[in-house]
Amino acid sequence: MAVAILAVIVAMMIHGVVTNERFHWDTVGKYLFDQRVGQGILVTLELTVLSMAIAVTLGVILAVMRLSPNPILSGAAWVYLWVFRGTPVYTQLVFWGLVGVLYPQIGFGIPFGPQFATFDGKDLIAPFVAALLGLALNEAAYMAEIVRAGILSVDEGQTEAAAALGMARGQLMRRIVLPQAMRVIIPPTGNEVISMLKTTSLVIAVPYSLDLYAKTRDISTRLFLPVPLLIVAAIWYLVMTSMLMTGQYYLERYYARGSLRTLPLTPLQKLRRRVRARGAAR
Amino acid sequence: MTGRQPTVPAEVAGPPPMVQSEGVHKRFGPLEVLKGIELEVRRGEVMCILGPSGSGKSTFLRCINHLEKIDAGLLWVDGSLVGYRQKDHRRHGLRLHELRESEVAQKRAEIGMVFQRFNLFPHMTALQNVIEAPLRVKKEPRSEVTDRAQQMLQRVGLSDKAGAYPTQLSGGQQQRVAIARALAMRPKLMLFDEPTSALDPELVGEVLDVMRGLAEDGMTMVVVTHEIGFAREVGDSLVFMDGGVVVEAGPPREILANPRHERTRTFLSKVL
């Protein structure tokens, strides 16, 4: 009964959305595979992948620093977290966009000594770089906490056994603790990737306007039709997050080895097995 | 290490004992766990340490490879101080310097340790567990290490389990892999911290058999255990600890047959 009611409600909603001509489904179809939208998708993916890569690397370093017995290292990591987690990502993006104004000249050389090369601040921190830095440095603070929780979840006996074999702290982290921490780190990191994919739409604050959301908005302002292009953007965000979820599933499976006696079948394996069973029955 | 001038090990002539402990103290906060341990383990000796839980026997074992830092006293392994280096200053005479982390790690690599809870690396197969340290710590060539690891697994009777993950092995099998893992580093000393206490009774024998074989091959071993039979048959010496001190030490048969101290007698009457 409940299922029937639910089915009717869903059918009504779909009918309402599809037949409402103010959604302009023809426009949605026309722009869904538009070249400009495609370019926006690529930029969004690029921003997501690069900023997450930086954030994960930096997050691991920050987490290991925070757990270090050295108070200067753990203190520095704490201050980083305090600043980057304590301010909105939008504010940080605006700030990185203004770095060129704050530092017109950026030089590389010996500290307080001669400079080997100087760059124009505006050139070095181009809008794309500013967007990337803003997203990555903010995310690194969150990743650090996720990685720290993962490291703390690993049994102390593991550290002891590795130390007793003569492993130094760095090696022990890399080879023994972090691979085991992955089981705890990956699910929330998957969430972070999905969240990052959507947060890239904020890079307009830099201002940087070549990502998916900015592209669809550009088109919609020209057409005076905001809704269909919003739907185009939403569809593509959904497609991308779905792909990420699939990737996360297989990654989790990979790191579950050794903790489960037999891995559960993947949906594909289940399907294949069912098809084969049906074939055998016939 | 306060209040004492470091001294040179007693026997300067001939090879030093494998482990020598002089007045070793250890405290965890207000709790004093070791109150001056005096012990000597000769080369090739199998020493079994008995005692009620909380007597400090495991803590002492962990001091030997510096998993725990001692608070006072002196502890030598193979003639060199654990965790410290003696330096002869022109002005100040002999002084102790704490070893760097990498130096401590180097020393630990020469001592094998087997834990009560096995502590195998769950994300690696049995073979990977065994080759990990020789490969990464000693940087030995992979083919050589793999060959030796196969031999070690064969020695503990598990050559057919090389590809199995720890969760796919029984407790006894896991502990034997852990022994193979320690042996693959070619240690000069093996420490066993209640190696059979977490095992089902019917699995204890297979682990003790491996340990007996090791003893017959002349390995120097310090074994914290509750297995009286093993201590009697395999041990060269037996130490009974209680309340952070060595109550009595000597040949196992003598101590087990007629303990001189009341505390040893009460303990033995409970476990025998």
Side-chain angles (χ1 to χ4, degrees):
Chain A
M1 189 61 194
V3 176
I5 292 173
L6 198 66
V8 170
I9 292 174
V10 169
M12 279 168 68
M13 280 170 72
I14 291 176
H15 179 259
V17 169
V18 172
T19 53
N20 185 341
E21 59 187 32
R22 271 163 293 192
F23 274 100
H24 294 280
W25 288 106
D26 53 328
T27 319
V28 171
K30 193 171 151 203
Y31 286 97
L32 192 56
F33 297 103
D34 189 275
Q35 200 202 346
R36 283 164 292 178
V37 172
Q39 284 166 347
I41 291 169
L42 284 181
V43 171
T44 290
L45 280 175
E46 207 178 337
L47 274 173
T48 308
V49 170
L50 289 178
S51 57
M52 277 315 289
I54 298 171
V56 168
T57 315
L58 196 57
V60 170
I61 296 171
L62 284 165
V64 173
M65 275 171 73
R66 256 206 100 179
L67 293 169
S68 161
N70 183 329
I72 295 170
L73 289 181
S74 61
W78 185 86
V79 169
Y80 184 98
L81 252 70
W82 179 61
V83 172
F84 282 91
R85 213 170 46 159
T87 55
V89 64
Y90 195 88
T91 319
Q92 289 174 32
L93 284 165
V94 173
F95 174 83
W96 285 108
L98 293 173
V99 162
V101 181
L102 284 171
Y103 300 98
Q105 294 275 303
I106 295 173
F108 293 94
I110 298 163
F112 307 110
Q115 307 272 302
F116 300 136
T118 50
F119 297 92
D120 197 35
K122 245 182 275 161
D123 294 343
L124 194 66
I125 311 290
F128 181 79
V129 178
L132 192 60
L133 279 176
L135 294 172
L137 297 189
N138 176 262
E139 182 58 31
Y142 291 91
M143 280 310 304
E145 286 299 89
I146 291 173
V147 174
R148 190 170 69 104
I151 291 175
L152 291 177
S153 76
V154 177
D155 179 28
E156 217 177 315
Q158 294 291 311
T159 327
E160 278 187 358
L165 284 166
M167 288 196 177
R169 201 177 123 84
Q171 204 170 32
L172 184 156
M173 275 287 165
R174 235 178 15 253
R175 298 285 312 167
I176 307 300
V177 176
L178 283 174
Q180 293 183 59
M182 282 304 199
R183 267 170 38 74
V184 173
I185 293 174
I186 283 174
T189 304
N191 280 343
E192 293 297 309
V193 177
I194 287 168
S195 160
M196 175 61 85
L197 185 91
K198 296 174 297 174
T199 308
T200 54
S201 60
L202 292 182
V203 293
I204 192 66
V206 168
Y208 179 75
S209 54
L210 298 176
D211 70 302
L212 173 60
Y213 181 66
K215 287 275 190 176
T216 52
R217 202 189 30 205
D218 280 353
I219 300 170
S220 68
T221 42
R222 228 164 293 145
L223 297 175
F224 296 109
L225 287 173
V227 173
L229 269 301
L230 264 182
I231 292 172
V232 168
I235 288 173
W236 281 115
Y237 279 117
L238 253 179
V239 167
M240 287 190 278
T241 49
S242 309
M243 290 186 328
L244 289 172
M245 283 165 75
T246 314
Q248 183 184 354
Y249 174 81
Y250 282 97
L251 209 58
E252 275 178 32
R253 233 176 97 84
Y254 174 77
Y255 280 105
R257 79 201 193 288
S259 63
L260 301 171
R261 267 160 220 246
T262 48
L263 288 172
L265 295 175
T266 66
L268 264 180
Q269 284 171 331
K270 275 187 211 157
L271 186 73
R272 236 177 275 143
R273 199 160 284 197
R274 200 171 293 174
V275 169
R276 215 176 300 148
R278 197 165 291 175
R282 224 180 273 158
Chain B
M1 296 217 179
T2 50
R4 283 188 63 139
Q5 268 295 309
T7 49
V8 189
E11 300 157 70
V12 181
M18 190 54 88
V19 181
Q20 191 177 352
S21 165
E22 281 184 17
V24 166
H25 286 258
K26 172 73 193 173
R27 56 172 73 243
F28 294 119
L31 187 71
E32 196 168 21
V33 193
L34 299 178
K35 302 170 183 166
I37 303 290
E38 311 277 338
L39 273 182
E40 193 178 301
V41 184
R42 286 168 289 112
R43 283 157 192 279
E45 179 177 341
V46 176
M47 175 185 279
C48 293
I49 305 180
L50 243 61
S53 56
S55 60
K57 51 195 193 314
S58 286
T59 306
F60 176 68
L61 199 71
R62 294 157 58 84
C63 287
I64 295 177
N65 65 354
H66 208 46
L67 281 180
E68 304 288 353
K69 213 182 216 177
I70 62 177
D71 295 317
L74 291 166
L75 188 56
W76 286 272
V77 169
D78 200 14
S80 62
L81 279 171
V82 174
Y84 297 86
R85 184 193 298 118
Q86 278 181 328
K87 251 194 189 161
D88 203 352
H89 282 271
R90 230 171 294 157
R91 231 179 289 161
H92 308 290
L94 284 178
R95 280 285 175 93
L96 292 183
H97 292 263
E98 223 171 309
L99 293 183
R100 271 180 283 128
E101 199 206 312
S102 59
E103 293 172 311
V104 172
Q106 232 166 42
K107 297 270 181 195
R108 283 192 186 129
E110 299 172 348
I111 303 172
M113 187 159 192
V114 175
F115 299 86
Q116 182 179 354
R117 309 261 352 144
F118 331 133
N119 297 350
L120 287 182
F121 306 134
H123 58 304
M124 297 180 181
T125 63
L127 185 72
Q128 286 170 335
N129 264 280
V130 179
I131 64 174
E132 177 69 12
L135 212 57
R136 312 280 165 185
V137 177
K138 286 190 163 177
K139 318 264 186 227
E140 292 179 86
R142 184 178 279 273
S143 61
E144 200 182 305
V145 172
T146 311
D147 282 351
R148 191 163 79 230
Q150 301 278 17
Q151 282 167 26
M152 294 301 161
L153 285 174
Q154 195 173 5
R155 177 172 188 173
V156 299
L158 290 172
S159 39
D160 56 327
K161 296 286 184 189
Y165 284 99
T167 43
Q168 297 164 330
L169 300 173
S170 74
Q173 290 171 331
Q174 286 189 55
Q175 192 61 300
R176 287 188 280 152
V177 173
I179 294 174
R181 176 175 72 175
L183 289 178
M185 289 293 276
R186 293 201 254 238
K188 54 187 178 190
L189 167 67
M190 286 283 287
L191 308 174
F192 292 85
D193 188 3
E194 301 198 27
T196 56
S197 298
L199 295 177
D200 289 341
E202 76 266 29
L203 301 177
V204 169
E206 62 190 59
V207 172
L208 292 182
D209 285 344
V210 170
M211 290 168 63
R212 184 174 290 127
L214 263 181
E216 279 161 10
D217 290 351
M219 175 65 78
T220 313
M221 295 159 64
V222 182
V223 186
V224 169
T225 186
H226 293 299
E227 294 295 325
I228 307 286
F230 178 83
R232 182 189 297 129
E233 284 148 39
V234 184
D236 298 309
S237 58
L238 192 147
V239 171
F240 177 71
M241 277 178 73
D242 191 18
V245 293
V246 172
V247 177
E248 63 182 298
R253 277 164 209 278
E254 259 174 51
I255 293 184
L256 293 171
N258 25 334
R260 268 168 293 161
H261 287 263
E262 184 53 41
R263 268 191 287 176
T264 321
R265 221 167 293 151
T266 4
F267 178 77
L268 288 177
S269 70
K270 276 179 199 151
V271 293
L272 278 177

